[in-house]
Amino acid sequence: MSLVNAVSSSFQEAFGHAPELLVRAPGRVNLIGEHTDYNGGFVLPAAIDKEIYFAVAPNALNRIRLVAHDKHQRHEVALTQDLKPGPVPWANYLLGVVAQLQARGAKVGGFDCVFGGNIPMGAGLSSSAAVECGLAFALNQVYNLGFPPLALAQIAQQAEHTFAGVQCGLMDQFASLMSRAGHVVRLDCRSLQYEYFPFDTTAAQVVLCNSGVKHNLADSEYNIRRGQCEQGVAVVRQHYPQVQTLRNVTRTMLEEHRAALDAVVYRRCRYVIAENERVLTACAFLEAGNLAAFGQEMYASHAGLRDDYEVSCQELDVLVDLARAQRGVFGARMMGGGFGGCTINLIEPAHVPAFQAAVAAGFSARFNRPLEMYQATIVAGVSALSTIPTTAN
């Protein structure tokens, strides 16, 4: 049985009626531009074929009834205008979406929801954003709320801020909702303007290597990094009042006031400013078809994340070093919030089997455990799969 059919059947078993709507919500990769989104910078993500499926239907109970198919767990709360985060972490991502819709005046009734997917948890592929965006899209459809996709992304982002405690940028939710098959999308997180770039997977296959180190951004130093960037902005703003985020800060401005900055804060800011430049440079290489030069920007990104932003870990560094030594590899870097998760690798398709064998062997020899790898296809953002009759079959 396919995963989407399993989720639909689980819904029928849990609630005794058929779902009204089936939705798929993809995870994402980010080719380059890490930790720049919450600093008003540039990112270059794409949705991939690791996805979460939702079966949703209204109920007449004025209750929210949720089932996590993969966890075999159920959670139920009364639908009120004063929803609060509760003791079940996975449910908070969903309840946060409802609360944010309500905050914007949307009329959401009681509903039943089953969700499950194949996005590896803790791998840096934004499973949480897929959960938020999938439900936001489904409720928008079921209740005819009329929110455009970009607004749904912002709703999902705020849900993560308020109910999961992660002060994330917009990239993950944007990528899940706004991606286009066969393209990467450059988002300007300051203006929210975006541009699609064709990405030819016949020239470069995306391969993800999972370090096996689980990361939980809410419990990691993610929020600390954001605060350090804000500290740097506050110092520079004393001399340049127009500065709102690190996007407004140039290398020259940062160096002028380096003495007033804590050494760690300086390194954090230096990384973000350089990473924004790398995204623009990398996009120019992508348009020119120069994947080798694009890959060098990926390696530079990883070095900055490792040394200046300090969000890498030993396993990620080893994976990038192993990748660099293989034939046919354009570039590699850690991806996501850090402290674990995956590396993203761009590889000539003919060299993928040899790459996987060599890197798996090298990783296993170093850490004495197997390496999980995934080949990713770039797909479209969140979509409805089909409309289901509201009566049982």
Side-chain angles (χ1 to χ4, degrees), residues 30-34 204-209 275 278 291-306 312 315-326 328-336 342-348 355 359:
N30 183 31
L31 269 65
I32 194 165
E34 213 67 73
Q205 174 65 51
V206 176
V207 177
L208 306 170
C209 297
E275 185 77 347
R278 279 190 284 267
L291 290 172
F294 185 98
Q296 291 304 308
E297 299 299 321
M298 294 176 68
Y299 286 127
S301 173
H302 183 81
L305 288 160
R306 180 191 64 211
S312 189
E315 289 84 354
L316 292 170
D317 295 340
V318 166
L319 284 170
V320 170
D321 289 342
L322 287 168
R324 193 191 291 265
Q326 308 308 313
V329 177
F330 296 113
R333 68 176 191 88
M334 64 148 277
M335 185 186 71
C342 287
T343 61
I344 180 170
N345 306 266
L346 297 187
I347 307 166
E348 292 181 37
F355 168 88
V359 173

Side-chain angles (χ1 to χ4, degrees), residues 21-261:
L21 186 70
L22 294 176
V23 168
R24 53 164 282 281
R28 65 98 188 96
V29 294
N30 183 31
L31 269 65
I32 194 165
E34 213 67 73
H35 287 277
T36 49
D37 56 347
Y38 54 82
N39 286 296
F42 294 103
V43 292
L44 191 67
I48 59 168
D49 57 339
K50 304 294 182 187
E51 295 159 320
I52 293 177
Y53 297 97
F54 293 78
V56 178
N59 64 43
L61 306 174
N62 207 42
R63 297 187 69 78
I64 299 171
R65 303 194 295 183
L66 307 171
V67 173
H69 175 76
D70 303 324
K71 295 178 178 289
H72 307 288
Q73 294 179 9
R74 181 165 176 157
H75 185 67
E76 185 173 333
V77 299
L79 175 62
T80 70
Q81 291 295 316
D82 189 31
L83 289 172
K84 302 290 186 186
V88 181
W90 61 261
N92 284 334
Y93 293 101
L94 301 163
L95 297 176
V97 169
V98 178
Q100 287 300 318
L101 289 169
Q102 291 175 330
R104 288 160 175 78
K107 302 298 184 184
V108 178
F111 64 91
D112 299 330
C113 171
V114 175
F115 70 99
N118 57 15
I119 302 176
M121 298 297 144
L125 304 182
S126 294
S127 55
S128 61
V131 168
E132 296 151 357
C133 292
L135 184 66
F137 180 95
L139 295 177
N140 194 49
Q141 294 276 103
V142 167
Y143 290 106
N144 297 311
L145 301 179
F147 290 104
L150 185 57
L152 292 177
Q154 294 168 317
I155 285 165
Q157 177 197 22
Q158 289 300 314
E160 188 140 342
H161 286 189
T162 55
F163 274 60
V166 180
Q167 300 302 306
C168 62
L170 186 61
M171 175 181 67
D172 296 347
Q173 293 82 5
F174 176 90
S176 188
L177 278 154
M178 301 288 290
S179 287
R180 180 183 293 176
H183 292 73
V184 294
V185 55
R186 183 178 69 201
L187 171 65
D188 180 338
C189 296
R190 180 175 65 185
S191 68
L192 300 185
Q193 293 180 329
Y194 52 93
E195 182 178 358
Y196 294 97
F197 294 83
F199 189 84
D200 183 6
T201 52
T202 64
Q205 174 65 51
V206 176
V207 177
L208 306 170
C209 297
N210 190 346
S211 69
V213 179
K214 302 294 184 184
H215 67 177
N216 184 329
L217 295 184
D219 297 330
S220 75
E221 296 194 354
Y222 182 101
N223 291 342
I224 293 175
R225 293 299 184 282
R226 181 165 186 157
Q228 289 166 333
C229 292
E230 290 168 353
Q231 290 174 43
V233 167
V235 170
V236 175
R237 186 185 294 135
Q238 293 174 12
H239 307 275
Y240 298 92
Q242 74 275 19
V243 165
Q244 299 298 315
T245 67
L246 281 176
R247 171 67 181 283
N248 308 118
V249 179
T250 65
R251 288 177 184 251
T252 299
M253 291 160 63
L254 185 69
E255 294 300 330
E256 279 178 355
H257 304 289
R258 179 174 180 174
L261 293 166

